[in-house]
Amino acid sequence: MSTEPEATSPAAGACVLVLLAGVAIAAAFAVDQAAGVLTVVAGGTVALWRCARRIGTDQPLPSPTAAPPLADELPGQGTVEVRHREGMSIFLRDDADNPARTHVRVELHDQDA
């Protein structure tokens, strides 16, 4: 016999929950159509509320008041990618300390007539 733990999948648990929710919704619709609609609306509201509470909990955002310096101001910090949009230049630089973040610096300029 193997002593290795069995590999589990989060998708398997999600499939079971979806199946159970489908059975509950089908039972509610079998009892009364209004009860089924109310069950679907309540379930959607709870799911939306849970998703809204999770947003923004991974990492705090950097301060919006302090613009990050350009790469040439901090040697060894990487290159700067410049994008031009209407009325502005956008400077993007990867954060050396945290690869999940990108420093963004926006400089507004007048439109050429």
Side-chain angles (χ1 to χ4, degrees), residues 60-74:
L61 294 175
S63 171
T65 57
L70 296 174
D72 54 358
E73 297 170 4
L74 291 173

Side-chain angles (χ1 to χ4, degrees), residues 44-97:
T45 303
V46 169
L48 181 64
W49 177 73
R50 287 194 57 177
C51 286
R53 285 184 43 98
R54 287 187 195 169
I55 295 176
T57 58
D58 293 334
Q59 294 180 354
L61 294 175
S63 171
T65 57
L70 296 174
D72 54 358
E73 297 170 4
L74 291 173
Q77 292 295 318
T79 59
V80 176
E81 178 183 344
V82 180
R83 296 182 183 174
H84 298 285
R85 299 287 188 264
E86 293 182 17
M88 68 183 86
S89 295
I90 304 169
F91 301 89
L92 303 169
R93 179 177 52 82
D94 291 336
D95 189 344
D97 298 328

